[in-house]
Amino acid sequence: LLRDVNTGNEHLQAMLAGMGGASGPRLAAAVSNAGGLGVLGAAACSPEELREWIREVRSLTDKPFGVDTLLPASVGRDPTDTAGARKPSALELVSEYQAFADEFMRQEGLTKVARPSREPNANDQGGPMFFSKEFFEEQMEVVVEEKVPVYAAGLGNPGPWMARMRENGTKVMAVIGSVKHALQVAA
């Protein structure tokens, strides 16, 4: 059930979740063509790949569709703590997180699922470092430049791009997990 924030009208509509690795251009277009809202799960798309995906969806449907990316707090947040010390980036913490996950899996007797590998240090097309602040900012520039009908912030706050998306007529959605985050996004 969706509520239009401008009119208050509610209507039932199917929406494809922006599932990274599953919600690609063909599925998003098929959902939109069937009367729902197809959404690209584009969190791990390089900016170039994201632009290609958006254009592919447009070649497969004339219906509205969306793009779902991530905007980690590090994208819009000061990289220093309250004492002025530099905080480590999420990328710098990858090895620590990986060690934690590896130990958990060992303790629980779990095995890793084979997945296509992706180099976490740079995208293969010479663009910004994968999942870096620049990576997410360049993705958002593509979303704005391509004037996507709907943008879904799967994580984080799209505030810095709101004025430009509004100018484009882009509807903006945010996935919110707590009251604190809802208040941040609403502001």
Side-chain angles (χ1 to χ4, degrees):
L1 187 63
L2 299 176
R3 179 188 306 262
D4 184 315
V5 294
N6 296 317
T7 65
N9 294 336
E10 293 182 345
H11 59 280
L12 187 60
Q13 175 146 354
M15 180 176 144
L16 175 65
M19 303 170 289
S23 301
R26 289 179 34 218
L27 181 57
V31 169
S32 290
N33 284 331
L37 179 65
V39 178
L40 293 169
C45 287
S46 69
E48 295 82 10
E49 183 179 31
L50 176 56
R51 190 178 307 277
E52 290 171 15
W53 277 23
I54 291 167
R55 290 177 178 177
E56 184 176 348
V57 171
R58 283 199 169 112
S59 76
L60 298 170
T61 187
D62 60 354
K63 307 285 191 244
F65 66 94
V67 171
D68 183 349
T69 69
L70 303 176
L71 292 171
S74 61
V75 171
R77 190 173 287 160
D78 184 356
T80 57
D81 64 20
T82 55
R86 184 184 168 283
K87 296 182 282 191
S89 71
L91 198 56
E92 292 168 328
L93 295 171
V94 166
S95 61
E96 181 181 329
Y97 296 153
Q98 187 62 55
F100 173 83
D102 289 345
E103 178 59 20
F104 175 82
M105 291 182 73
R106 186 193 64 72
Q107 287 176 355
E108 299 299 321
L110 302 171
T111 57
K112 289 185 179 181
V113 174
R115 301 185 75 167
S117 64
R118 175 134 195 175
E119 176 60 44
N121 295 322
N123 87 37
D124 50 3
Q125 298 174 4
M129 188 180 314
F130 187 63
F131 275 24
S132 65
K133 180 177 190 257
E134 294 76 19
F135 176 89
F136 296 114
E137 289 173 343
E138 285 191 27
Q139 279 187 323
M140 289 306 298
E141 287 305 311
V142 170
V143 167
V144 171
E145 291 167 5
E146 291 294 325
K147 300 180 180 180
V148 298
V150 177
Y151 172 70
L155 172 70
N157 188 345
W161 297 274
M162 287 300 294
R164 293 171 60 208
M165 287 191 288
R166 282 187 181 134
E167 286 174 13
N168 290 344
T170 300
K171 302 294 183 197
V172 178
M173 303 167 61
V175 178
I176 298 172
S178 72
V179 171
K180 173 186 168 188
H181 296 138
L183 293 171
Q184 289 172 343
V185 172

